[in-house]
Amino acid sequence: MNETYTETQKAAKRERLAEGGFVAAVFCFAFLWAACQPFDVSPDERMRYEIVQYLCEYGRLPHGGDPLLRNEIWGISYAFNPIISYMLSAVFVKAAGFFTSNGAALIVAARMVNVLFTAGTALLTLKIGKRLLPHPACWLFAVLVAFLPGFLFVGSYVNNDAMALFSAAWICYSWVRYLTEGWSVKNCLWLGVGLSLCLLSYYNAYGWVLVSFLFFSFTALFCEGKKWNFSFWLRRGLIVAAVTALLAGWWFLRNALLYHGDFLGMKTSSQFAQQFAQEEFKPSNRLTPKRQGYSVWGMLWIHPGTWQHNWIVTVLVSFVGTFGYMTVFMPYTLSKLYWLLFLCGGAGVLLTPRIFGFRKTYTWKSQVLVGETPMSITSTGVVKEWDKLRIFHTAMLLAAAIPPVLLLQYSWASDFQAQGRYLLP
């Protein structure tokens, strides 16, 4: 018995070492990429880093339309968006400033926040896989996420995307914890923290907030011992809401006060763009597919001269990994192999519809003896029960569908973009 216990301890230790090695490998890869990548060869890194510099120099949160930050082309700044990631980068830059004044070193210090978010996402992904999947499938799942080139790319420069991915993984892990532990107070706190991180990251990840509300509501109301468990939903929901309001509410309250009720800052950002952007980049003058008379379906096949493919293929390829300002493409064979794997896996999921929905069905039989004779009557019935695993699968499918819908609408009506990184959440 002692020998068996010792072997179990050794196996657990090896597993912990493997987990630590995996996360360390992701961290080192992202760090080396961040350390060697030139400045401002990634999407809008200069505009983002200017906010970090502003925070370091002035020690206060900026107005999104501050002339010191306002881009001369677009007429706005990224300070209209949540800037928590940049605030953390400013802390790293200030700390590094005690040891060096080298500009390149300070840029790497600012990027370290996203390096850490990337390593943290890898850890959460592995934890999700180990709770949902058998060994070694959990490792395959974690590797496919954490070593996706596009995922590692957003961890190598200053942006909000890495935080958005980390928050998505955190929320997903809180859902997975619920499957085995229920909505305990601890898991409600987990979900509240994840929602806060998401709200303070990037708008393309906000689908996780909506779907979390639906997932929590369905499971709390119908999967906690009795149908329509409103009191339980309210008690636990107040915990989630309180944590979210405490950690993230301040930003939206500030926006409402600063931008005259515009708590997201998006309307005010558009107004500044209309006033200060160069003529061809003003919202009213942008030549969007919608203004050109294209339908959403027609937009998918637009093939601008600056891209090597039409919109939909460019999105798919850049989701796997396209670098720089959408100018450095991987070998297409690699992108095709990734999408072959994704499509086969997706087909396997979608061709198994029984894993989706809200309820599962039980069939039962009973036998009743008639008098003293050996005759019996067999009756059959069907009982439907709310199934949290099916609800989880449905929520995951919905969470995966929302970012493409948002990107389609944004590209068609607002700003023609074909960047697959917007789909990463």
Side-chain angles (χ1 to χ4, degrees):
M1 183 175 179
N2 289 337
E3 291 180 2
T4 303
Y5 182 68
T6 302
E7 288 299 320
T8 302
Q9 284 183 315
K10 289 181 179 179
K13 184 177 181 179
R14 287 194 297 268
E15 191 71 11
R16 288 195 298 271
L17 288 174
E19 291 176 9
F22 170 74
V23 175
V26 174
F27 173 86
C28 289
F29 196 102
F31 171 71
L32 291 173
W33 200 339
C36 69
Q37 183 170 212
F39 179 61
D40 198 31
V41 298
S42 306
D44 296 335
E45 185 176 30
R46 182 178 297 277
M47 287 181 65
R48 303 170 192 273
Y49 185 65
E50 285 173 352
I51 299 175
V52 178
Q53 291 177 308
Y54 183 100
L55 293 169
C56 289
E57 184 173 352
Y58 296 103
R60 66 174 186 267
L61 302 184
H63 186 289
D66 192 311
L68 293 174
L69 296 174
R70 202 168 59 220
N71 183 264
E72 61 182 9
I73 297 175
W74 298 102
I76 58 173
S77 77
Y78 277 102
F80 281 113
N81 300 331
I83 60 171
I84 295 300
S85 180
Y86 310 139
M87 292 168 64
L88 295 174
S89 290
V91 173
F92 276 72
V93 170
K94 291 288 282 186
F98 287 111
F99 304 97
T100 181
S101 60
N102 181 274
L106 296 180
I107 291 169
V108 174
R111 292 171 174 173
M112 282 303 300
V113 172
N114 282 352
V115 171
L116 292 171
F117 275 137
T118 300
T121 305
L123 175 61
L124 289 171
T125 302
L126 183 57
K127 287 183 174 294
I128 291 167
K130 295 187 78 168
R131 283 181 176 248
L132 286 179
L133 302 168
H135 192 89
C138 58
W139 282 97
L140 176 62
F141 166 68
V143 167
L144 286 174
V145 172
F147 286 102
L148 184 74
F151 168 76
L152 290 168
F153 176 55
V154 300
S156 67
Y157 66 98
V158 180
N159 58 63
N160 271 0
D161 299 88
M163 182 176 175
L165 291 172
F166 178 74
S167 70
W170 187 296
I171 291 172
C172 185
Y173 183 56
S174 70
W175 293 4
V176 173
R177 287 172 60 96
Y178 159 77
L179 293 177
T180 55
E181 301 171 12
W183 286 122
S184 63
V185 172
K186 183 177 181 180
N187 286 341
C188 289
L189 294 174
W190 264 93
L191 180 59
V193 173
L195 294 176
S196 303
L197 291 169
C198 186
L199 288 168
L200 294 173
S201 61
Y202 215 28
Y203 299 136
N204 64 332
Y206 277 18
W208 281 97
V209 178
L210 171 63
V211 181
S212 289
F213 172 77
L214 297 175
F215 177 72
F216 174 82
S217 294
F218 271 100
T219 52
L221 287 171
F222 302 115
C223 300
E224 291 292 334
K226 66 178 182 178
K227 184 179 178 181
W228 198 251
N229 197 348
F230 182 79
S231 62
F232 179 84
W233 172 82
L234 183 62
R235 292 195 309 272
R236 292 295 192 262
L238 285 174
I239 295 174
V240 178
V243 172
T244 306
L246 179 65
L247 297 181
W250 65 271
W251 172 259
F252 301 98
L253 179 61
R254 173 185 178 271
N255 282 357
L257 295 173
L258 194 61
Y259 305 136
H260 309 291
D262 182 17
F263 67 95
L264 288 178
M266 298 177 73
K267 181 180 178 180
T268 309
S269 177
S270 295
Q271 292 171 349
F272 269 79
Q274 183 62 35
Q275 183 176 356
F276 295 104
Q278 294 180 4
E279 282 301 315
E280 64 268 33
F281 297 108
K282 293 180 184 293
S284 60
N285 295 335
R286 289 178 192 167
L287 200 59
T288 62
K290 181 180 180 180
R291 287 203 176 100
Q292 292 177 283
Y294 288 98
S295 65
V296 174
W297 176 255
M299 181 194 70
L300 303 182
W301 316 110
I302 294 178
H303 190 167
T306 55
W307 295 342
Q308 302 181 42
H309 300 290
N310 58 39
W311 186 92
I312 189 168
V313 173
T314 304
V315 168
L316 296 178
V317 168
S318 59
F319 174 85
V320 175
T322 299
F323 317 111
Y325 278 87
M326 296 285 291
T327 55
V328 182
F329 287 78
M330 293 198 314
Y332 293 114
T333 301
L334 290 178
S335 297
K336 290 175 182 177
L337 287 174
Y338 268 102
W339 274 106
L340 177 63
L341 180 63
F342 295 155
L343 291 173
C344 289
V349 170
L350 295 177
L351 293 174
T352 315
R354 66 178 182 273
I355 70 173
F356 299 107
F358 301 92
R359 297 186 179 188
K360 58 185 176 183
T361 302
Y362 292 104
T363 300
W364 53 271
K365 295 181 178 180
S366 63
Q367 291 184 336
V368 180
L369 293 177
V370 179
E372 297 180 356
T373 64
M375 286 183 60
S376 63
I377 299 175
T378 302
S379 60
T380 304
V382 175
V383 176
K384 288 187 176 181
E385 181 180 277
W386 291 91
D387 183 9
K388 58 187 178 183
L389 189 58
R390 279 183 170 84
I391 296 173
F392 170 79
H393 289 150
T394 305
M396 290 292 288
L397 186 63
L398 182 59
I402 289 176
V405 173
L406 293 176
L407 179 57
L408 280 168
Q409 173 62 25
Y410 181 71
S411 296
W412 180 64
S414 298
D415 186 12
F416 188 57
Q417 297 273 359
Q419 299 199 40
R421 64 189 177 90
Y422 293 142
L423 303 184
L424 286 172

